[in-house]
């Protein structure tokens, strides 16, 4: 019996990376786009990006914030002054995207989540004089972990909401078709695991599960990161494993713990 792993995440450049590694380990990856994003306030962001002297650096915690900065500068290069500042990001994929699209190096990419990034920033800035805020392009569903921790450590954020998160327009149709197909077709493929990458992703999916009475009994639920784990559990759903970082290697590692 071939095990289907459902990848529930936003459409991004690294979706294929997950599929390739899952296939290598004998899983059948099925990618269902979960989220869409609407960008806003890019003119405001552009004005702030033109004034690097007002900041200690940039902080990126999502691929959308990188896209927002790229679009805000309208194909122009970021001012070189940003390169001399303290810039941070979460995730190796984001770090590579920032280098490729913005020609900017960032630190902290290995941290895995916003909480760990805040701890890394505290350590990284030890014995450095940092008085200006960090520019933080973010989404409407951002949590306050990063801001609260950095404030506790004596640093401040200038947050600009540059995108809104909405459910993908095909999410309900795709989920219903997937589970209906499993019930109605006699094949050697069965849904083994569902991978959730964000609190908003599980929240939107849970609405579909409830509306269509989709039963998750027997499915392994894998959370990417502690905040996603908490959001899943808040829906009364058991989390079987947690991948501590949003990378294909960590996800496959979590899946292989039970096999």
């Amino acid at each position: 019996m071939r095990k289907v792993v459902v990848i529930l995440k936003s459409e991004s450049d690294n979706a294929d990376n997950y599929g390739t590694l899952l296939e290598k380990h004998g899983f059948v990856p099925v990618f269902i786009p979960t989220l869409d994003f609407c960008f806003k306030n890019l003119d405001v962001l552009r004005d702030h990006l033109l004034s690097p002297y007002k900041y200690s650096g940039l902080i990126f915690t999502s691929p959308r914030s990188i896209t927002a900065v790229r679009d805000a500068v309208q194909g122009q290069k970021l001012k070189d002054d940003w390169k001399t500042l303290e810039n941070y990001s979460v995730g190796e994929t984001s770090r590579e995207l920032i280098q490729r699209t913005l020609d900017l190096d960032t630190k902290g990419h290995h941290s895995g989540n916003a909480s760990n990034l805040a701890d890394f920033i505290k350590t990284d800035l030890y014995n450095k004089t940092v008085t200006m805020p960090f520019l933080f392009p973010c989404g409407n569903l951002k949590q306050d972990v990063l801001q609260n921790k950095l404030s506790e450590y004596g640093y401040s954020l200038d947050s600009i909401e540059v995108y809104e998160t909405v459910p993908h327009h095909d999410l309900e149709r795709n989920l219903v078709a997937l589970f209906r197909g499993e019930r109605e077709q006699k094949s050697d493929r069965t849904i083994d695991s569902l991978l959730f990458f964000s609190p908003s992703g599980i929240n939107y999916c849970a609405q579909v599960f409830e509306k269509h009475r989709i039963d998750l009994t027997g499915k392994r639920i894998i959370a990417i990161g502690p905040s996603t784990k908490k959001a899943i559990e808040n829906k009364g759903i058991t989390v079987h494993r947690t991948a501590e970082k949003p990378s294909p290697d960590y996800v496959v590692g979590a899946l292989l713990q039970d096999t």
Side-chain angles (χ1 to χ4, degrees):
M1 183 72 71
R2 300 196 69 193
K3 296 179 177 180
V4 172
V5 175
V6 185
I7 305 170
L8 294 152
K9 69 188 300 293
S10 61
E11 293 179 283
S12 64
D13 293 337
N14 68 336
D16 289 342
N17 296 341
Y18 287 91
T20 300
L21 195 57
L22 287 167
E23 287 177 344
K24 181 179 177 181
H25 288 275
F27 296 103
V28 179
V30 174
F31 174 54
I32 293 185
T34 309
L35 306 173
D36 270 340
F37 304 97
C38 303
F39 290 91
K40 61 181 183 179
N41 295 329
L42 297 188
D43 54 339
V44 176
L45 177 60
R46 176 178 170 80
D47 288 343
H48 287 255
L49 290 169
L50 292 173
S51 304
Y53 61 89
K54 294 182 179 179
Y55 295 100
S56 294
L58 273 159
I59 297 179
F60 300 93
T61 58
S62 77
R64 274 71 57 191
S65 59
I66 304 166
T67 301
V69 170
R70 182 201 67 190
D71 292 350
V73 297
Q74 300 173 342
Q76 303 298 311
K77 289 181 60 178
L78 274 178
K79 283 182 171 289
D80 285 341
D81 290 348
W82 284 108
K83 296 181 179 181
T84 66
L85 302 179
E86 308 290 345
N87 302 301
Y88 301 94
S89 65
V90 172
E92 182 62 39
T93 300
S94 289
R95 175 174 177 255
E96 292 173 357
L97 183 61
I98 294 164
Q99 289 176 326
R100 187 168 67 251
T101 62
L102 303 177
D103 190 26
L104 189 71
D105 288 326
T106 55
K107 298 176 285 186
H109 55 277
H110 58 277
S111 54
N113 58 60
S115 179
N116 291 343
L117 179 62
D119 294 336
F120 174 83
I121 291 173
K122 177 187 178 184
T123 302
D124 187 60
L125 295 180
Y126 185 71
N127 280 342
K128 295 181 181 179
T129 302
V130 174
T131 57
M132 298 292 189
F134 288 91
L135 181 58
F136 180 44
C138 58
N140 63 312
L141 299 181
K142 77 172 179 67
Q143 300 188 12
D144 294 327
V145 174
L146 182 68
Q147 183 159 345
N148 291 343
K149 269 200 164 185
L150 287 181
S151 178
E152 177 186 335
Y153 298 153
Y155 307 111
S156 61
L157 290 180
D158 185 0
S159 302
I160 301 178
E161 194 172 292
V162 293
Y163 67 90
E164 292 187 2
T165 304
V166 296
H168 191 276
H169 57 278
D170 285 331
L171 176 61
E172 181 175 1
R173 181 174 62 84
N174 288 339
L175 276 178
V176 171
L178 176 70
F179 281 89
R180 180 182 296 134
E182 185 190 41
R183 288 196 312 268
E184 296 176 353
Q185 295 178 8
K186 295 181 179 179
S187 70
D188 63 345
R189 293 174 29 158
T190 184
I191 299 173
D192 174 79
S193 306
L194 290 88
L195 309 181
F196 291 98
F197 284 75
S198 67
S200 52
I202 178 59
N203 289 339
Y204 293 138
C205 288
Q207 294 174 17
V208 178
F209 297 151
E210 183 177 354
K211 177 180 177 181
H212 294 275
R213 298 182 181 179
I214 292 175
D215 186 5
L216 299 181
T217 302
K219 315 300 182 191
R220 291 190 299 164
I221 306 300
I222 311 296
I224 284 67
S227 60
T228 303
K229 178 178 184 289
K230 182 178 179 181
I232 295 171
E233 292 175 338
N234 286 343
K235 296 296 182 182
I237 300 172
T238 299
V239 176
H240 293 79
R241 289 286 181 266
T242 302
E244 293 304 322
K245 295 182 180 181
S247 78
D249 287 332
Y250 275 82
V251 167
V252 170
L255 285 167
L256 292 177
Q257 286 185 50
D258 291 330
T259 59

